[in-house]
Short mmCIF file of all heavy atoms in Angstrom, two decimals:
data_model
loop_
_atom_site.label_atom_id
_atom_site.label_comp_id
_atom_site.label_asym_id
_atom_site.label_seq_id
_atom_site.Cartn_x
_atom_site.Cartn_y
_atom_site.Cartn_z
N THR A 22 -210.61 -86.19 -23.08
CA THR A 22 -209.06 -86.36 -23.41
C THR A 22 -208.92 -86.15 -24.91
O THR A 22 -207.95 -85.44 -25.35
CB THR A 22 -208.65 -87.79 -22.96
OG1 THR A 22 -208.78 -87.96 -21.58
CG2 THR A 22 -207.20 -87.97 -23.42
N LEU A 23 -209.80 -86.70 -25.65
CA LEU A 23 -209.63 -86.54 -27.16
C LEU A 23 -209.94 -85.14 -27.67
O LEU A 23 -209.38 -84.71 -28.63
CB LEU A 23 -210.55 -87.59 -27.91
CG LEU A 23 -210.16 -89.09 -27.68
CD1 LEU A 23 -211.13 -89.90 -28.41
CD2 LEU A 23 -208.77 -89.29 -28.28
N ILE A 24 -210.82 -84.39 -26.98
CA ILE A 24 -211.08 -83.06 -27.32
C ILE A 24 -209.79 -82.25 -27.08
O ILE A 24 -209.41 -81.40 -27.88
CB ILE A 24 -212.31 -82.44 -26.57
CG1 ILE A 24 -213.57 -83.08 -26.98
CG2 ILE A 24 -212.33 -80.96 -26.67
CD1 ILE A 24 -214.75 -82.66 -26.16
N ALA A 25 -209.19 -82.49 -25.95
CA ALA A 25 -207.97 -81.78 -25.63
C ALA A 25 -206.90 -82.04 -26.62
O ALA A 25 -206.11 -81.21 -27.16
CB ALA A 25 -207.44 -82.18 -24.26
N GLU A 26 -206.85 -83.33 -27.10
CA GLU A 26 -205.90 -83.79 -28.14
C GLU A 26 -206.23 -83.06 -29.45
O GLU A 26 -205.27 -82.70 -30.30
CB GLU A 26 -205.86 -85.25 -28.28
CG GLU A 26 -205.24 -86.01 -27.18
CD GLU A 26 -205.34 -87.57 -27.49
OE1 GLU A 26 -205.67 -87.97 -28.57
OE2 GLU A 26 -204.92 -88.33 -26.59
N ALA A 27 -207.42 -82.91 -29.75
CA ALA A 27 -207.90 -82.37 -31.09
C ALA A 27 -207.42 -80.95 -31.33
O ALA A 27 -207.23 -80.50 -32.46
CB ALA A 27 -209.35 -82.47 -31.22
N VAL A 28 -207.25 -80.11 -30.23
CA VAL A 28 -206.78 -78.75 -30.41
C VAL A 28 -205.25 -78.60 -30.28
O VAL A 28 -204.82 -77.42 -30.28
CB VAL A 28 -207.55 -77.79 -29.37
CG1 VAL A 28 -209.05 -77.99 -29.55
CG2 VAL A 28 -207.14 -78.21 -27.95
N GLN A 29 -204.53 -79.62 -30.05
CA GLN A 29 -203.10 -79.52 -29.90
C GLN A 29 -202.50 -79.25 -31.35
O GLN A 29 -203.06 -79.65 -32.37
CB GLN A 29 -202.52 -80.75 -29.36
CG GLN A 29 -203.08 -81.26 -27.96
CD GLN A 29 -202.67 -80.23 -26.91
OE1 GLN A 29 -201.57 -79.68 -26.86
NE2 GLN A 29 -203.57 -80.01 -26.02
N GLY A 30 -201.38 -78.70 -31.39
CA GLY A 30 -200.60 -78.42 -32.61
C GLY A 30 -201.31 -77.48 -33.56
O GLY A 30 -201.11 -77.57 -34.79
N GLU A 31 -201.98 -76.52 -33.01
CA GLU A 31 -202.78 -75.54 -33.83
C GLU A 31 -201.74 -74.69 -34.73
O GLU A 31 -202.02 -74.45 -35.84
CB GLU A 31 -203.60 -74.60 -32.93
CG GLU A 31 -204.48 -73.65 -33.70
CD GLU A 31 -205.40 -72.87 -32.85
OE1 GLU A 31 -205.09 -72.85 -31.55
OE2 GLU A 31 -206.27 -72.13 -33.37
N LYS A 32 -200.66 -74.28 -34.08
CA LYS A 32 -199.67 -73.45 -34.87
C LYS A 32 -199.08 -74.23 -36.00
O LYS A 32 -198.95 -73.65 -37.14
CB LYS A 32 -198.63 -72.88 -33.96
CG LYS A 32 -199.14 -71.75 -32.97
CD LYS A 32 -198.05 -71.34 -32.01
CE LYS A 32 -198.62 -70.35 -31.05
NZ LYS A 32 -197.53 -69.80 -30.05
N GLU A 33 -198.75 -75.47 -35.77
CA GLU A 33 -198.19 -76.26 -36.74
C GLU A 33 -199.18 -76.49 -37.88
O GLU A 33 -198.76 -76.54 -39.03
CB GLU A 33 -197.76 -77.71 -36.19
CG GLU A 33 -197.09 -78.62 -37.25
CD GLU A 33 -197.00 -80.03 -36.73
OE1 GLU A 33 -197.61 -80.34 -35.71
OE2 GLU A 33 -196.36 -80.84 -37.47
N ASP A 34 -200.43 -76.74 -37.54
CA ASP A 34 -201.42 -76.92 -38.55
C ASP A 34 -201.55 -75.59 -39.55
O ASP A 34 -201.67 -75.75 -40.70
CB ASP A 34 -202.80 -77.19 -37.93
CG ASP A 34 -202.83 -78.56 -37.30
OD1 ASP A 34 -201.95 -79.46 -37.59
OD2 ASP A 34 -203.81 -78.82 -36.41
N GLN A 35 -201.45 -74.47 -38.85
CA GLN A 35 -201.55 -73.32 -39.55
C GLN A 35 -200.43 -73.17 -40.57
O GLN A 35 -200.64 -72.77 -41.80
CB GLN A 35 -201.56 -72.10 -38.67
CG GLN A 35 -201.66 -70.74 -39.38
CD GLN A 35 -203.04 -70.62 -40.07
OE1 GLN A 35 -204.04 -70.77 -39.52
NE2 GLN A 35 -202.96 -70.19 -41.36
N VAL A 36 -199.19 -73.43 -40.13
CA VAL A 36 -198.07 -73.45 -41.06
C VAL A 36 -198.24 -74.44 -42.18
O VAL A 36 -197.90 -74.18 -43.35
CB VAL A 36 -196.76 -73.76 -40.25
CG1 VAL A 36 -195.58 -73.82 -41.20
CG2 VAL A 36 -196.52 -72.65 -39.24
N PHE A 37 -198.72 -75.68 -41.85
CA PHE A 37 -198.98 -76.63 -42.84
C PHE A 37 -199.94 -76.31 -43.89
O PHE A 37 -199.71 -76.43 -45.15
CB PHE A 37 -199.54 -77.94 -42.12
CG PHE A 37 -199.85 -79.06 -43.15
CD1 PHE A 37 -198.89 -79.62 -43.85
CD2 PHE A 37 -201.09 -79.58 -43.21
CE1 PHE A 37 -199.14 -80.74 -44.73
CE2 PHE A 37 -201.38 -80.59 -44.01
CZ PHE A 37 -200.48 -81.15 -44.82
N TYR A 38 -201.01 -75.63 -43.61
CA TYR A 38 -202.06 -75.04 -44.60
C TYR A 38 -201.40 -73.96 -45.40
O TYR A 38 -201.64 -73.90 -46.55
CB TYR A 38 -203.30 -74.63 -43.83
CG TYR A 38 -204.08 -75.67 -43.36
CD1 TYR A 38 -204.41 -75.89 -42.00
CD2 TYR A 38 -204.69 -76.63 -44.22
CE1 TYR A 38 -205.27 -76.87 -41.48
CE2 TYR A 38 -205.56 -77.70 -43.73
CZ TYR A 38 -205.77 -77.82 -42.41
OH TYR A 38 -206.51 -78.85 -41.90
N ASP A 39 -200.66 -73.12 -44.75
CA ASP A 39 -200.00 -72.09 -45.50
C ASP A 39 -198.98 -72.64 -46.53
O ASP A 39 -198.92 -72.14 -47.66
CB ASP A 39 -199.19 -71.14 -44.57
CG ASP A 39 -200.20 -70.29 -43.72
OD1 ASP A 39 -201.45 -70.15 -44.11
OD2 ASP A 39 -199.78 -69.67 -42.75
N TYR A 40 -198.36 -73.71 -46.09
CA TYR A 40 -197.38 -74.38 -47.05
C TYR A 40 -198.13 -74.96 -48.26
O TYR A 40 -197.73 -74.73 -49.44
CB TYR A 40 -196.68 -75.54 -46.24
CG TYR A 40 -196.03 -76.50 -47.18
CD1 TYR A 40 -194.70 -76.34 -47.53
CD2 TYR A 40 -196.57 -77.75 -47.47
CE1 TYR A 40 -194.01 -77.23 -48.30
CE2 TYR A 40 -195.90 -78.68 -48.27
CZ TYR A 40 -194.63 -78.44 -48.69
OH TYR A 40 -193.99 -79.38 -49.49
N LEU A 41 -199.29 -75.65 -48.05
CA LEU A 41 -200.03 -76.18 -49.17
C LEU A 41 -200.58 -75.13 -50.05
O LEU A 41 -200.55 -75.26 -51.24
CB LEU A 41 -201.21 -77.05 -48.57
CG LEU A 41 -200.90 -78.34 -47.86
CD1 LEU A 41 -202.16 -79.08 -47.36
CD2 LEU A 41 -200.01 -79.30 -48.72
N ILE A 42 -201.09 -74.08 -49.50
CA ILE A 42 -201.61 -72.97 -50.22
C ILE A 42 -200.51 -72.30 -51.10
O ILE A 42 -200.72 -72.03 -52.30
CB ILE A 42 -202.23 -71.89 -49.37
CG1 ILE A 42 -203.55 -72.51 -48.69
CG2 ILE A 42 -202.55 -70.64 -50.11
CD1 ILE A 42 -204.15 -71.66 -47.65
N SER A 43 -199.29 -72.27 -50.58
CA SER A 43 -198.23 -71.57 -51.33
C SER A 43 -197.82 -72.44 -52.49
O SER A 43 -197.19 -71.89 -53.48
CB SER A 43 -197.01 -71.37 -50.40
OG SER A 43 -196.35 -72.63 -50.06
N LEU A 44 -198.05 -73.80 -52.46
CA LEU A 44 -197.66 -74.66 -53.53
C LEU A 44 -198.76 -75.04 -54.48
O LEU A 44 -198.50 -75.64 -55.50
CB LEU A 44 -197.01 -75.94 -53.00
CG LEU A 44 -195.63 -75.85 -52.16
CD1 LEU A 44 -195.22 -77.14 -51.74
CD2 LEU A 44 -194.62 -75.11 -53.07
N ALA A 45 -200.05 -74.63 -54.11
CA ALA A 45 -201.09 -75.02 -54.96
C ALA A 45 -200.96 -74.45 -56.35
O ALA A 45 -200.64 -73.34 -56.60
CB ALA A 45 -202.38 -74.54 -54.37
N PRO A 46 -201.22 -75.40 -57.40
CA PRO A 46 -200.91 -74.99 -58.80
C PRO A 46 -201.95 -74.06 -59.37
O PRO A 46 -201.67 -73.50 -60.52
CB PRO A 46 -200.90 -76.34 -59.47
CG PRO A 46 -201.87 -77.19 -58.69
CD PRO A 46 -201.65 -76.81 -57.28
N ASN A 47 -203.09 -73.90 -58.81
CA ASN A 47 -204.06 -72.94 -59.48
C ASN A 47 -204.94 -72.38 -58.38
O ASN A 47 -205.01 -72.82 -57.29
CB ASN A 47 -204.84 -73.72 -60.56
CG ASN A 47 -205.50 -74.98 -59.97
OD1 ASN A 47 -206.19 -75.01 -58.92
ND2 ASN A 47 -205.29 -76.08 -60.65
N GLN A 48 -205.83 -71.44 -58.85
CA GLN A 48 -206.68 -70.73 -57.92
C GLN A 48 -207.74 -71.64 -57.37
O GLN A 48 -208.17 -71.50 -56.18
CB GLN A 48 -207.37 -69.53 -58.58
CG GLN A 48 -208.18 -68.62 -57.73
CD GLN A 48 -207.33 -68.03 -56.64
OE1 GLN A 48 -206.15 -67.65 -56.81
NE2 GLN A 48 -207.92 -67.73 -55.44
N GLU A 49 -208.21 -72.54 -58.08
CA GLU A 49 -209.16 -73.51 -57.65
C GLU A 49 -208.69 -74.19 -56.41
O GLU A 49 -209.41 -74.27 -55.31
CB GLU A 49 -209.55 -74.50 -58.68
CG GLU A 49 -210.42 -75.57 -58.22
CD GLU A 49 -210.47 -76.77 -59.23
OE1 GLU A 49 -209.92 -76.67 -60.36
OE2 GLU A 49 -211.08 -77.84 -58.85
N GLN A 50 -207.58 -74.76 -56.40
CA GLN A 50 -206.98 -75.53 -55.31
C GLN A 50 -206.63 -74.66 -54.13
O GLN A 50 -206.74 -75.06 -53.00
CB GLN A 50 -205.76 -76.44 -55.80
CG GLN A 50 -206.23 -77.48 -56.73
CD GLN A 50 -205.17 -78.46 -57.12
OE1 GLN A 50 -204.21 -78.62 -56.35
NE2 GLN A 50 -205.26 -79.08 -58.35
N ILE A 51 -206.21 -73.40 -54.40
CA ILE A 51 -205.92 -72.47 -53.35
C ILE A 51 -207.28 -72.22 -52.57
O ILE A 51 -207.26 -72.23 -51.30
CB ILE A 51 -205.43 -71.16 -53.90
CG1 ILE A 51 -203.97 -71.31 -54.44
CG2 ILE A 51 -205.53 -70.08 -52.80
CD1 ILE A 51 -203.45 -70.10 -55.11
N GLU A 52 -208.49 -72.03 -53.29
CA GLU A 52 -209.69 -71.77 -52.67
C GLU A 52 -210.09 -72.98 -51.87
O GLU A 52 -210.73 -72.81 -50.78
CB GLU A 52 -210.70 -71.38 -53.69
CG GLU A 52 -210.40 -70.01 -54.31
CD GLU A 52 -211.33 -69.70 -55.39
OE1 GLU A 52 -212.34 -70.49 -55.64
OE2 GLU A 52 -211.27 -68.61 -56.04
N ILE A 53 -209.90 -74.19 -52.38
CA ILE A 53 -210.30 -75.40 -51.60
C ILE A 53 -209.60 -75.48 -50.36
O ILE A 53 -210.23 -75.66 -49.29
CB ILE A 53 -210.11 -76.61 -52.56
CG1 ILE A 53 -211.02 -76.68 -53.64
CG2 ILE A 53 -210.20 -77.92 -51.68
CD1 ILE A 53 -210.82 -77.80 -54.62
N ILE A 54 -208.29 -75.44 -50.43
CA ILE A 54 -207.46 -75.52 -49.17
C ILE A 54 -207.77 -74.43 -48.22
O ILE A 54 -207.77 -74.70 -46.96
CB ILE A 54 -205.99 -75.68 -49.51
CG1 ILE A 54 -205.72 -76.82 -50.37
CG2 ILE A 54 -205.09 -75.69 -48.29
CD1 ILE A 54 -204.33 -76.89 -51.06
N THR A 55 -207.87 -73.21 -48.61
CA THR A 55 -208.27 -72.16 -47.80
C THR A 55 -209.54 -72.31 -47.05
O THR A 55 -209.72 -72.10 -45.90
CB THR A 55 -208.38 -70.82 -48.57
OG1 THR A 55 -207.08 -70.57 -49.33
CG2 THR A 55 -208.73 -69.70 -47.68
N SER A 56 -210.56 -72.90 -47.82
CA SER A 56 -211.85 -73.13 -47.20
C SER A 56 -211.70 -74.25 -46.09
O SER A 56 -212.32 -74.13 -45.01
CB SER A 56 -212.88 -73.59 -48.21
OG SER A 56 -212.64 -74.88 -48.75
N ILE A 57 -210.91 -75.29 -46.32
CA ILE A 57 -210.66 -76.26 -45.35
C ILE A 57 -209.92 -75.74 -44.15
O ILE A 57 -210.33 -76.08 -43.02
CB ILE A 57 -209.81 -77.45 -46.06
CG1 ILE A 57 -210.70 -78.17 -47.11
CG2 ILE A 57 -209.37 -78.43 -44.99
CD1 ILE A 57 -209.91 -79.26 -47.85
N ARG A 58 -208.95 -74.92 -44.40
CA ARG A 58 -208.21 -74.26 -43.28
C ARG A 58 -209.18 -73.49 -42.33
O ARG A 58 -209.13 -73.54 -41.16
CB ARG A 58 -207.14 -73.42 -43.80
CG ARG A 58 -206.33 -72.65 -42.74
CD ARG A 58 -205.60 -71.42 -43.33
NE ARG A 58 -206.51 -70.42 -43.78
CZ ARG A 58 -206.23 -69.41 -44.48
NH1 ARG A 58 -204.89 -69.18 -44.86
NH2 ARG A 58 -207.11 -68.53 -44.91
N ASN A 59 -210.06 -72.75 -43.00
CA ASN A 59 -210.98 -71.93 -42.29
C ASN A 59 -211.98 -72.74 -41.42
O ASN A 59 -212.32 -72.39 -40.29
CB ASN A 59 -211.80 -70.99 -43.23
CG ASN A 59 -210.87 -69.91 -43.82
OD1 ASN A 59 -209.74 -69.66 -43.35
ND2 ASN A 59 -211.34 -69.34 -44.92
N ASP A 60 -212.39 -73.85 -42.07
CA ASP A 60 -213.25 -74.79 -41.25
C ASP A 60 -212.54 -75.33 -40.09
O ASP A 60 -213.08 -75.45 -39.01
CB ASP A 60 -213.67 -76.04 -42.14
CG ASP A 60 -214.79 -75.64 -43.09
OD1 ASP A 60 -215.42 -74.63 -42.91
OD2 ASP A 60 -215.13 -76.48 -44.00
N GLU A 61 -211.21 -75.70 -40.21
CA GLU A 61 -210.47 -76.28 -39.17
C GLU A 61 -210.28 -75.34 -38.02
O GLU A 61 -210.30 -75.64 -36.82
CB GLU A 61 -209.12 -76.86 -39.70
CG GLU A 61 -209.23 -77.96 -40.64
CD GLU A 61 -209.83 -79.18 -40.01
OE1 GLU A 61 -210.05 -79.29 -38.78
OE2 GLU A 61 -210.20 -80.13 -40.89
N ILE A 62 -210.09 -74.09 -38.39
CA ILE A 62 -209.90 -73.02 -37.29
C ILE A 62 -211.25 -72.95 -36.55
O ILE A 62 -211.26 -72.82 -35.26
CB ILE A 62 -209.68 -71.66 -37.98
CG1 ILE A 62 -208.16 -71.66 -38.57
CG2 ILE A 62 -209.80 -70.56 -37.00
CD1 ILE A 62 -207.82 -70.40 -39.40
N LYS A 63 -212.39 -72.95 -37.24
CA LYS A 63 -213.67 -72.93 -36.59
C LYS A 63 -213.89 -74.19 -35.63
O LYS A 63 -214.34 -74.00 -34.53
CB LYS A 63 -214.81 -72.89 -37.70
CG LYS A 63 -216.12 -73.01 -37.10
CD LYS A 63 -217.21 -73.01 -38.36
CE LYS A 63 -217.05 -74.34 -39.17
NZ LYS A 63 -218.03 -74.38 -40.29
N HIS A 64 -213.46 -75.43 -36.24
CA HIS A 64 -213.62 -76.60 -35.44
C HIS A 64 -212.70 -76.52 -34.10
O HIS A 64 -213.24 -76.90 -33.05
CB HIS A 64 -213.09 -77.80 -36.17
CG HIS A 64 -213.97 -78.06 -37.37
ND1 HIS A 64 -213.60 -78.89 -38.36
CD2 HIS A 64 -215.12 -77.58 -37.81
CE1 HIS A 64 -214.48 -78.99 -39.33
NE2 HIS A 64 -215.45 -78.21 -39.00
N ASN A 65 -211.57 -76.01 -34.22
CA ASN A 65 -210.63 -75.83 -33.07
C ASN A 65 -211.29 -74.91 -31.93
O ASN A 65 -211.25 -75.33 -30.82
CB ASN A 65 -209.32 -75.19 -33.55
CG ASN A 65 -208.27 -75.27 -32.41
OD1 ASN A 65 -208.30 -74.55 -31.45
ND2 ASN A 65 -207.32 -76.09 -32.64
N GLN A 66 -211.90 -73.78 -32.46
CA GLN A 66 -212.57 -72.94 -31.52
C GLN A 66 -213.76 -73.60 -30.89
O GLN A 66 -214.00 -73.46 -29.62
CB GLN A 66 -213.05 -71.67 -32.22
CG GLN A 66 -213.72 -70.64 -31.34
CD GLN A 66 -212.67 -70.14 -30.22
OE1 GLN A 66 -211.46 -70.05 -30.46
NE2 GLN A 66 -213.14 -69.84 -29.12
#
Side-chain angles (χ1 to χ4, degrees):
T22 299
L23 292 177
I24 289 173
E26 286 182 8
V28 302
Q29 304 294 322
E31 184 177 12
K32 291 181 181 178
E33 183 195 6
D34 290 343
Q35 181 63 53
V36 175
F37 176 61
Y38 286 117
D39 290 344
Y40 166 84
L41 292 180
I42 291 170
S43 70
L44 295 182
N47 54 51
Q48 186 61 31
E49 173 195 350
Q50 294 186 26
I51 290 174
E52 291 176 5
I53 289 174
I54 298 169
T55 300
S56 71
I57 292 174
R58 179 199 63 191
N59 293 342
D60 280 347
E61 296 297 348
I62 292 172
K63 175 182 66 178
H64 297 166
N65 191 288
Q66 184 60 33

